[in-house]
Amino acid sequence: MKRIAFISDVHFGGQEDLKAWNFALKVLGDVDEVILGGDIFDHEAVGKYRKNPDKVIKLQDEITRGVAELGKLRGACPDAEIYFYQGNHERRLPNYILDFSKGLHGLDVFSPPILYKLNDLDIQYIPETKPFKRGHLWVAHGDEFNTSSFSPAYKALNDLNSNILFGHVHRFSVASKQQLNKRSIGAWSNGCLCRLDPSYHLNPDWSQGFTLVDITQTGYFSVTP
């Protein structure tokens, strides 16, 4: 049996909730694998929406802070495999470069393993931003498909017709159904570890937390939000 922790939507850069993050670090010691499932960093400074520059954390300060917290994660899970998968907020920086500074595209310094010091922290980078599998369960950030619904899990389950765990929506939801071949499938959306009172959203319906997945050698699994 392998235990995996799926963490997403921390938003280091001013929107993180360090109490929630530190609580997660305290209870992760026995996991075999940690999947950082996107939007670990916020990159608000290069976001497209209009913002007050006096209240936005500088990009370098954000990255420095986030890398330090990833170091704490590595310290809390010294023997676990840790994987880093980009979300739409991490992709703000390469998108900004493509929009305004194409000549900087492809520089090694902007690659996630170097930018976030993943190699130094023994964190493995997943380069392709598309769902990947753990046993019979697909894992994704959540912006790769439509999750616009009262129940993001129900929407994902019916659109993708597959077992899937994802973040992006900042709240827990779950849906399941039985197919004609009597096979049961399910979908789960993950909570967040960011603040529940962000500056850009009035009274969001978010929930804090992360998800644990226990997977057998044959790929069958159980999910615990």
Side-chain angles (χ1 to χ4, degrees), residues 10-19 21 40 57 65 69 193-195:
V10 186
H11 293 274
F12 288 123
Q15 301 299 338
E16 73 273 16
D17 187 326
L18 288 179
K19 287 185 178 180
W21 169 253
I40 305 304
I57 293 178
R65 177 190 302 183
E69 295 300 328
L193 293 177
C194 62
R195 295 172 51 178

Side-chain angles (χ1 to χ4, degrees), residues 136-138 142 145-149 151-166 173-179 183-189 221:
H136 298 306
L137 177 68
W138 287 96
F145 42 86
N146 187 357
T147 55
S148 179
S149 170
S151 173
Y154 180 84
K155 175 68 173 172
L157 182 68
N158 282 277
D159 286 356
L160 304 176
N161 201 39
S162 299
N163 296 309
I164 189 159
L165 167 65
F166 59 95
S173 65
V174 60
S176 62
K177 68 179 181 180
Q178 189 178 70
Q179 299 174 314
R183 176 174 174 259
S184 295
I185 58 174
W188 296 263
S189 65
F221 62 89

Side-chain angles (χ1 to χ4, degrees), residues 87-132:
N88 53 299
H89 280 246
E90 280 92 9
R91 293 196 295 276
R92 281 175 166 177
L93 180 56
N95 289 341
Y96 183 90
I97 291 172
L98 287 174
D99 288 342
F100 300 106
S101 303
K102 287 187 176 65
L104 300 180
H105 175 67
L107 280 177
D108 287 345
V109 69
F110 294 120
S111 66
I114 295 176
L115 187 66
Y116 308 131
K117 301 188 185 304
L118 302 182
N119 295 333
D120 295 343
L121 296 169
D122 192 23
I123 296 176
Q124 301 180 55
Y125 173 57
I126 300 176
E128 293 186 283
T129 51
K130 64 180 183 180
F132 57 97

